[in-house]
């Protein structure tokens, strides 16, 4: 059995590198999971995506955006709204 002596500064650096490596590997995955699973109210969708309440109702009635209703309150998954917006994006015209 051998004993390794490490200076406190070296140990701190090793710990810091290990934590940085672990955090940088996990943070993107955690952020993605949080943002995809985030539920938005009609107010939040109106503010963030500029979709008025009548527009949202139309999209709900025509089943273009999935939603959940709980005690008369409407919720949308952020990922569903983002997907809807991306699928309905109209490309800009090329000048020429």
């Amino acid at each position: 059995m051998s004993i390794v002596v490490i200076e406190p500064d070296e140990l701190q650096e090793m710990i810091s590198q290990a934590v940085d490596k672990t955090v940088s590997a996990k943070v993107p995955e955690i952020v993605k999971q949080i943002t995809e699973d985030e539920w938005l109210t009609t107010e939040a969708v109106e503010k963030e995506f500029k979709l008025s309440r009548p527009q949202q109702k139309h999209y709900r009635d025509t089943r273009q955006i999935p939603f959940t209703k709980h005690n008369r309150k409407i919720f949308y998954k952020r990922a569903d709204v983002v997907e809807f917006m991306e699928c309905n994006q109209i490309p800009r015209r090329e000048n020429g």
Side-chain angles (χ1 to χ4, degrees):
M1 182 165 102
S2 63
I3 297 174
V4 177
V5 177
I6 299 175
E7 293 293 321
D9 291 343
E10 289 180 72
L11 179 59
Q12 183 65 36
E13 182 63 28
M14 290 171 64
I15 292 170
S16 179
Q17 288 177 359
V19 168
D20 287 347
K21 183 177 179 181
T22 303
V23 167
S24 64
K26 292 290 183 180
V27 166
E29 178 183 321
I30 293 168
V31 168
K32 181 180 178 189
Q33 183 179 6
I34 289 170
T35 56
E36 284 182 351
D37 292 343
E38 185 179 356
W39 290 95
L40 302 173
T41 62
T42 53
E43 296 84 8
V45 170
E46 185 173 23
K47 184 177 181 181
E48 186 173 338
F49 296 95
K50 309 292 189 263
L51 288 176
S52 69
R53 290 172 191 253
Q55 287 173 313
Q56 292 179 47
K57 182 173 181 348
H58 171 74
Y59 296 139
R60 285 194 312 269
D61 291 346
T62 57
R63 299 293 194 249
Q64 294 183 52
I65 298 180
F67 66 97
T68 297
K69 191 171 185 178
H70 180 70
N71 291 337
R72 300 182 63 201
K73 186 114 173 132
I74 305 288
F75 296 95
Y76 305 93
K77 274 194 174 181
R78 175 182 296 281
D80 291 337
V81 178
V82 168
E83 180 182 344
F84 170 79
M85 296 297 284
E86 288 174 351
C87 288
N88 289 286
Q89 183 177 11
I90 299 171
R92 139 172 57 123
R93 288 185 187 174
E94 295 294 324
N95 291 335

